[in-house]
Structures are given as structure tokens and as C-alpha cells.
């Protein structure tokens, strides 16, 4: 293991939802405009990445630990097919209707 416990627990730290980010709370209390959710999310992701890299470098053989993480990522993060794309769906009748033929003729 990476010394971070169960893989799902290790990655739960990344995805744990919070009502308000600490920096957002500081902005609101200072009567300043709030940050966007997307920018806070990206900053939190980078903070976790840097924390991980720092802890990874403390291991005697960080290369082995990084390979182990690669295997964990394959197990935990699975790619899912999109339901939004129309590949493989029956689109039905695509020809013009009788009323469209009538309108285009007139």
C-alpha cells in the first residue's frame, strides 16, 4: 500500500464534498466576492496532488510506490461509456415528413 490506507479511503479525501471551502468562507466573511466553484475545485485538486507528491517522495523507493498507485488507479477509476452521445442508438425515421415536402414544394 501507499501508506494511505484503503484505496477508496485514500481517494475519498479528493472527492469529499464540503459546503464551503475555507478560502470561500474567508472571502464571504471579508465581504469580498466569492470564488467560482470550478476554480476552488481545481485548487483543491492541485493541493491534494502536491500533498500526495510530497508524501510519495518521503518513501525509500518512490518509483515503486508510483507504480503501485498506477495499479490502484486502474482498479478505482474505471472509464464509463457516455449516455449523451448518439453512437449505437436507433434514431428512428430520418426522412422528411409529408408536411415538410409540401412546404418545400410551395
Amino acid at each position: 500500500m501507499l501508506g494511505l490506507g484503503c484505496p477508496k479511503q485514500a481517494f475519498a479525501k479528493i472527492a469529499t464534498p464540503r459546503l464551503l471551502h475555507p478560502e470561500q468562507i474567508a472571502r464571504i466573511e471579508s465581504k469580498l466576492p466569492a470564488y467560482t466553484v470550478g476554480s476552488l475545485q481545481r485548487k483543491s485538486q492541485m493541493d491534494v496532488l502536491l500533498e500526495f507528491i510530497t508524501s510519495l517522495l518521503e518513501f525509500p523507493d518512490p518509483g515503486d510506490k508510483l507504480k503501485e498507485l498506477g495499479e490502484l488507479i486502474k482498479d478505482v477509476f474505471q472509464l464509463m461509456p457516455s449516455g449523451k452521445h448518439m453512437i449505437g442508438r436507433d434514431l428512428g425515421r430520418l426522412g422528411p415528413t409529408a408536411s415538410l415536402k409540401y412546404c418545400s414544394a410551395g
Side-chain angles (χ1 to χ4, degrees):
M1 273 292 121
L2 293 168
L4 300 172
C6 170
K8 289 186 180 181
Q9 290 173 344
F11 292 111
K13 183 175 183 181
I14 298 169
T16 303
R18 297 181 187 145
L19 183 58
L20 288 177
H21 190 278
E23 292 183 36
Q24 191 79 298
I25 294 169
R27 298 282 293 185
I28 292 170
E29 289 173 352
S30 300
K31 308 281 190 228
L32 295 170
Y35 293 122
T36 65
V37 172
S39 66
L40 288 168
Q41 187 178 34
R42 285 188 301 276
K43 179 161 183 346
S44 292
Q45 290 169 342
M46 290 298 104
D47 289 344
V48 169
L49 178 62
L50 287 174
E51 184 180 325
F52 170 75
I53 291 170
T54 302
S55 67
L56 181 66
L57 293 174
E58 293 173 358
F59 284 101
D61 191 359
D64 284 344
K65 292 296 178 184
L66 195 56
K67 288 177 186 175
E68 191 176 334
L69 174 66
E71 293 302 316
L72 290 174
I73 287 173
K74 289 178 189 175
D75 293 340
V76 174
F77 294 102
Q78 296 180 2
L79 298 177
M80 303 298 290
S82 172
K84 294 180 181 179
H85 298 91
M86 301 305 289
I87 294 174
R89 293 195 180 191
D90 179 21
L91 299 179
R93 184 175 54 88
L94 296 176
T97 61
S99 61
L100 286 176
K101 289 179 186 177
Y102 176 78
C103 288
S104 66

